Amino acid sequence: MTYRIGVDLGGTKVSVAVLNSRNETVFSDRLPTPASEYGEVIDTVDALVQKALAFIDSVEINKIGIGIPGAMHQNAHTVKNANMQCLIGKPLKVDLEKRLNREFVIANDATCFTASEAADGAAKNERVVFGVILGTGAGGGIAFEGKPWAGLNSLAGEWGHNPFPFYGAPAKNRSCYCGKIDCNEQVISGPALAADYEIAAGKKISTKDLERAAKNGDEAAVTVLDEFHENLAKALSTIINLLDPSAIVVGGGVSNISSIYQEVPLRWGRYVFNASPDPAVIATKLLRNRWGDDSGVRGAAWLT
């Protein structure tokens, strides 16, 4: 039996998984993501990989895949564009390889998520897939024929930091670590959605509880969720206009809001450059992920 090890370095948790030759997860574990210390990130990845290696015992593993909330710079030595800012400018690949004495293959976490869902997940057999992670941030990835596409500058799918298309709606004027104001991440991520509710209701709510509150008649939740459906439709319309994918798969905590899969496709036809105003004419599928929290880590394992 052969095995692959993948690591998913996320904003709130770090996960590890071991896949066997049938692409079945035979071991998994996770730890909270360290708040801001780069050295602690290395320690956490090390601890999880050591557990995975102990599980498969004597099997030789020379290469490990890891998805990160950013990308490697063109010089292939340092991290760029990471919403986990302690990683930016750090030689993550070199430091992990020194610590664990194994080769690491690094890719953007949304690219890993997309590859997993395109290969044998919700978008299996779809030729062109755009994957969206709406969680702590807003990321995207592209897969062609089930294979990830990173791009020449490791920027393919980096839609989260494109300017949000307001189409005349009031700007939110939220600054992002990327240096822009009102990029997609500041409008449609989990924290952005929570911030909208706090402004509307004067109290906090988790993304997980927002849809339930709306169903129970919370007027602020109803209003915020309706605006979110419209905003996500606007943001995704730019992907359809540019890439025209056969499917868009949504992951991250926001993907658990079940109403988006019905509401957003009914709305994005208003913004897609298409001859017919009928949203049903837009054939792109909007899909909930199949593998949940495991999508990213499974895709990372397939990097090896």
Side-chain angles (χ1 to χ4, degrees):
M1 182 72 72
T2 58
Y3 297 95
R4 299 169 185 256
I5 295 178
V7 177
D8 183 24
L9 182 52
T12 58
K13 66 184 183 311
V14 185
S15 304
V16 69
V18 177
L19 304 186
N20 64 19
S21 54
R22 295 188 294 272
N23 290 325
E24 299 166 333
T25 301
V26 295
F27 173 83
S28 64
D29 199 359
R30 62 178 59 180
L31 290 170
T33 302
S36 60
E37 290 294 328
Y38 175 69
E40 292 180 6
V41 172
I42 299 295
D43 291 341
T44 301
V45 174
D46 183 18
L48 287 170
V49 171
Q50 295 294 357
K51 289 184 178 182
L53 291 170
F55 176 82
I56 56 178
D57 194 17
S58 60
V59 176
E60 184 64 29
I61 297 289
N62 296 315
K63 190 180 293 187
I64 295 168
I66 180 169
I68 66 171
M72 298 304 295
H73 197 275
Q74 291 91 318
N75 64 21
H77 298 307
T78 57
V79 175
K80 66 175 182 178
N81 300 346
N83 64 11
M84 189 184 299
Q85 296 179 55
C86 68
L87 299 179
I88 294 176
K90 296 296 195 297
L92 181 65
K93 177 177 169 66
V94 171
D95 289 341
L96 287 174
E97 290 178 344
K98 284 181 179 178
R99 174 69 71 90
L100 284 145
N101 195 32
R102 287 169 174 82
E103 180 182 353
F104 274 78
V105 183
I106 299 178
N108 178 263
D109 55 357
T111 299
C112 294
F113 162 82
T114 306
S116 175
E117 291 295 332
D120 66 348
K124 182 180 180 181
N125 299 324
E126 300 290 348
R127 294 191 64 191
V128 181
V129 177
F130 190 82
V132 175
I133 296 181
L134 298 178
T136 307
I142 301 171
F144 296 110
E145 306 285 359
K147 304 295 183 183
W149 176 255
L152 182 63
N153 300 294
S154 299
L155 292 174
E158 275 292 2
W159 149 94
H161 296 282
N162 284 351
F164 178 79
F166 283 98
Y167 289 100
K172 296 189 180 286
N173 294 313
R174 292 174 181 163
S175 299
C176 183
Y177 78 91
C178 73
K180 300 182 183 72
I181 295 174
D182 285 343
C183 56
N184 284 329
E185 183 166 299
Q186 296 305 313
V187 179
I188 56 173
S189 66
L193 186 54
D196 286 342
Y197 181 83
E198 187 172 1
I199 291 169
K203 59 183 179 181
K204 298 181 183 293
I205 195 172
S206 69
T207 303
K208 180 180 178 181
D209 293 333
L210 181 65
E211 186 174 28
R212 183 185 303 111
K215 289 179 179 178
N216 290 336
D218 182 323
E219 291 185 8
V222 170
T223 300
V224 167
L225 194 56
D226 182 70
E227 182 189 33
F228 177 74
H229 292 146
E230 196 72 18
N231 286 341
L232 186 56
K234 291 175 181 179
L236 292 179
S237 73
T238 65
I239 298 303
I240 299 173
N241 283 338
L242 181 64
L243 187 63
D244 202 6
S246 32
I248 297 174
V249 186
V250 187
V254 176
S255 71
N256 295 317
I257 299 176
S258 60
S259 58
I260 66 178
Y261 304 99
Q262 178 179 357
E263 289 293 329
V264 172
L266 292 176
R267 300 172 187 232
W268 62 22
R270 304 170 191 171
Y271 308 106
V272 173
F273 181 59
N274 198 54
S276 173
D278 181 358
V281 173
I282 306 301
T284 303
K285 302 170 186 174
L286 184 65
L287 304 172
R288 187 198 297 258
N289 63 83
R290 174 184 177 185
W291 295 110
D293 288 347
D294 291 337
S295 284
V297 75
R298 292 174 81 257
W302 287 349
L303 295 173
T304 61

